[in-house]
Amino acid sequence: MNMTLNELCDRIRKSPRSIRTDSRKVEVGDIFVALPPAAREGSGAPDLRSDYIRSAKAQGAGVIVADPRFAAGSDNGTEGASPEFIPVADARSALGQLAAARWGTEHLNFPVIAVTGTNGKTTCAYLLEHAWRSSGRKAGVLGTVSYRWPGHEEEAPLTTPGCLDIHERLAAMRDAGVDVAVMEVSSHALDQNRIAGVEFSGALFTNLTQDHLDYHDGMEDYFSAKRKLFTTVPRADKVMAINADDPYGLRLLEQLPHAVPFGLNLTSARPAAGLACTVLSDTPRGMELRLTWQGKSWFLSTPLVGRHNAANLSAVIALGLQMGFQPGDFSCFHEFCGVSGRLERIPTPKSGKGANVGIFVDYAHTPDALTRAQEALRDAGFSRIITVFGCGGDRDRTKRPLMGKSVARGSDVAVLTSDNPRTEDPESIMDDVMPGLAGAGEIHREADRRKALTLALDLARSGDAVLVAGKGHEPYQIIGNVKYPFSDQQILKELLR
């Protein structure tokens, strides 16, 4: 009689063994889980699971976990003893179950919070981390910038790691004594069920705007992936905060009567049950906010600028209030100056080039994020906005003219340049952007990003804002298949000297 998945999990708990999803890495006695092609990435591609299973057997796999249709591949075609075969209807869910058993992450002694949405995930993750740390507790984060917890930090190759990596890192956080883990959860990760086996205690939805349509089959498919975090991912009793100012957020709220809405215009989605935020002032020095929750109001000063940051603060506070924080606890944000590459302010000299100019680096690489960043600077009262931007190569081409349109609408001066061109010709990428820039007041085109930054600083006058968009925290530029050192922040500081 074949061993069941639950029996295999029991064995792993008693005697840990390696779990692999790459047949090339299998060693003798390992468990190999044959994953199906990702729903979108596998479109039109051959299903090679039979080949992978035969390869894993040849490498000495002790157990094969796969769709029952592939059982034959585990006991023929190669010589040697056949591994045990465990049939499963959903290999990705099975991988999560195995990973949780292997690393003991089935019942963690700290909450795991998921943050999803097109824009704002990283800022919200940093704000949540800051709130917990300011209350004297330890936090771990898996996100776009890095994977970090007390005593450990590494650069993040993916916003959301693979399933095995997630569980291994949650176990490391547990061993480091964290009090909370915050995870940015991408639509790719939800579509591929990389978060299988993770019991989330809280979930936050920031917004949904066009992005990743090179992967998803339209906006409805993109939204469907995000929605899984709230409707199908355990636990059923997790607390949820959802942006009521976003049309997709409103759709989620209609399905989730127990979720808490937040917003700057909280009128149409259960306002009495939500967190309302009013921006009382927005200047180059920061914002003054009024927050209202369960009939009580209080004020919050922040050095952050822009309505999108007011929304980010609202999101975090709406979730925090459900997880035991009190209104007074959020005074910790009075001195929170922002996140690397998220409308990050670059220090400027008192005289000479850049004097009395606001210079900001932002990760905005979608039309909506660009619009939000420009609106934030416009609302803060700068005289003119000069935006340096480009579009990534080998990525969604449909958003390129929309990026140009956003800058034409929101800036006084557009400086079009390269982002990460990858294997595309930078000039061709800029050609795709140009139709959207029609009608812009002043347009400059310079493929060399360093020269484009120099040009923007030369164009800036006292009272202006320079927005450098697209790469944010990235310390590199990808040209071809090579990452070359390139930090917008570092180059701007050099040019200002």
Side-chain angles (χ1 to χ4, degrees):
M1 182 176 178
N2 286 338
M3 177 170 49
T4 67
L5 183 65
N6 287 337
E7 288 170 342
L8 178 58
C9 287
D10 286 338
R11 286 193 190 182
I12 294 173
R13 292 184 193 101
K14 295 170 185 173
S15 179
R17 57 201 292 191
S18 295
I19 305 165
R20 308 287 185 187
T21 58
D22 185 337
S23 61
R24 297 167 296 184
K25 297 180 179 179
V26 169
E27 297 181 1
V28 175
D30 286 354
I31 299 164
F32 175 67
V33 183
L35 299 179
R40 305 302 174 270
E41 292 177 341
S43 179
D47 190 333
L48 301 176
R49 276 178 282 181
S50 293
D51 294 342
Y52 298 151
I53 289 169
R54 281 191 288 270
S55 172
K57 182 193 172 185
Q59 297 281 101
V63 181
I64 303 289
V65 179
D67 186 296
R69 292 175 297 163
F70 297 93
S74 69
D75 58 16
N76 64 57
T78 59
E79 298 198 4
S82 294
E84 292 188 77
F85 185 88
I86 298 181
V88 293
D90 183 346
R92 294 186 183 278
S93 293
L95 178 64
Q97 191 174 336
L98 289 166
R102 165 64 180 82
W103 280 287
T105 51
E106 294 156 300
H107 304 290
L108 293 167
N109 60 352
F110 56 86
V112 182
I113 298 171
V115 183
T116 200
T118 306
N119 303 309
K121 292 190 298 296
T122 299
T123 296
C124 286
Y126 270 88
L127 287 166
L128 286 164
E129 178 186 31
H130 183 72
W132 253 270
R133 291 178 65 181
S134 296
S135 67
R137 292 174 285 180
K138 298 177 182 178
V141 178
L142 300 178
T144 303
V145 176
S146 67
Y147 306 152
R148 58 192 183 275
W149 53 87
H152 178 89
E153 183 162 6
E154 61 182 294
E155 185 180 331
L158 296 169
T159 292
T160 313
C163 183
L164 295 174
D165 288 338
I166 286 174
H167 287 274
E168 186 174 8
R169 283 163 172 77
L170 286 174
M173 291 183 191
R174 176 196 61 215
D175 295 344
V178 304
D179 298 292
V180 67
V182 181
M183 189 187 308
E184 293 182 48
V185 180
S186 68
S187 60
H188 295 68
L190 287 160
D191 183 60
Q192 297 165 16
N193 200 14
R194 291 186 218 154
I195 56 173
V198 179
E199 295 271 329
F200 291 107
S201 299
L204 174 58
F205 178 83
T206 60
N207 52 61
L208 196 77
T209 62
Q210 182 172 333
D211 198 16
H212 304 307
L213 297 191
D214 54 330
Y215 178 89
H216 294 287
D217 186 20
M219 288 298 292
E220 280 303 307
D221 182 61
Y222 183 25
F223 175 55
S224 178
K226 295 287 192 186
R227 182 169 50 202
K228 290 177 183 177
L229 180 63
F230 301 88
T231 58
T232 62
V233 172
R235 304 166 5 197
D237 64 341
K238 61 181 177 290
V239 300
M240 294 177 280
I242 295 174
N243 186 357
D245 293 338
D246 182 87
Y248 291 97
L250 283 175
R251 288 173 60 182
L252 275 178
L253 286 164
E254 289 172 1
Q255 297 179 353
L256 302 164
H258 300 298
V260 169
F262 65 86
L264 309 187
N265 303 292
L266 197 59
T267 55
S268 58
R270 306 196 300 274
L275 178 89
C277 176
T278 303
V279 180
L280 300 177
S281 67
D282 185 6
T283 73
R285 295 181 301 279
M287 292 183 291
E288 183 78 18
L289 309 176
R290 182 176 66 237
L291 297 147
T292 302
W293 165 257
Q294 295 181 346
K296 298 179 181 179
S297 294
W298 71 97
F299 299 95
L300 179 69
S301 297
T302 170
L304 301 178
V305 299
R307 291 176 66 83
H308 70 292
N309 272 324
N312 290 333
L313 284 162
S314 302
V316 167
I317 293 170
L319 195 73
L321 288 167
Q322 297 178 76
M323 301 192 77
F325 283 85
Q326 299 300 313
D329 296 331
F330 301 112
S331 61
C332 64
F333 295 138
H334 291 333
E335 306 300 326
F336 184 82
C337 292
V339 178
S340 174
R342 269 64 181 179
L343 217 57
E344 176 186 0
R345 195 164 200 153
I346 303 299
T348 55
K350 294 182 179 179
S351 61
K353 181 181 288 190
N356 201 30
V357 174
I359 302 174
F360 299 86
V361 174
D362 194 83
Y363 192 49
H365 58 280
T366 68
D368 181 69
L370 258 179
T371 296
R372 287 167 183 253
Q374 293 168 110
E375 287 177 348
L377 299 178
R378 186 74 70 191
D379 292 343
F382 289 99
S383 302
R384 295 187 308 162
I385 298 173
I386 300 167
T387 297
V388 182
F389 78 110
C391 291
D394 303 331
R395 296 294 186 270
D396 182 4
R397 290 185 63 180
T398 67
K399 75 178 182 182
R400 291 175 185 173
L402 301 178
M403 298 276 281
K405 188 175 181 180
S406 170
V407 174
R409 215 172 31 230
S411 293
D412 302 281
V413 181
V415 181
L416 177 60
T417 187
S418 280
D419 192 295
N420 292 316
R422 298 183 178 86
T423 63
E424 285 194 68
D425 175 18
E427 295 292 342
S428 296
I429 296 173
M430 292 193 293
D431 287 342
D432 288 343
V433 177
M434 286 300 293
L437 281 171
E442 184 178 336
I443 304 170
H444 300 270
R445 177 170 167 160
E446 172 53 69
D448 185 307
R449 194 171 178 94
R450 186 185 181 99
K451 290 181 180 177
L453 295 178
T454 303
L455 173 61
L457 294 182
D458 289 341
L459 292 168
R461 304 192 293 256
S462 176
D464 289 348
V466 174
L467 172 63
V468 180
K471 287 170 45 59
H473 62 279
E474 295 175 351
Y476 55 79
Q477 188 174 31
I478 306 174
I479 301 173
N481 293 309
V482 180
K483 283 186 178 181
Y484 295 93
F486 194 104
S487 163
D488 285 338
Q489 292 93 324
Q490 191 59 42
I491 290 171
L492 287 165
K493 290 172 184 176
E494 291 173 9
L495 294 174
L496 289 168
R497 291 195 199 108

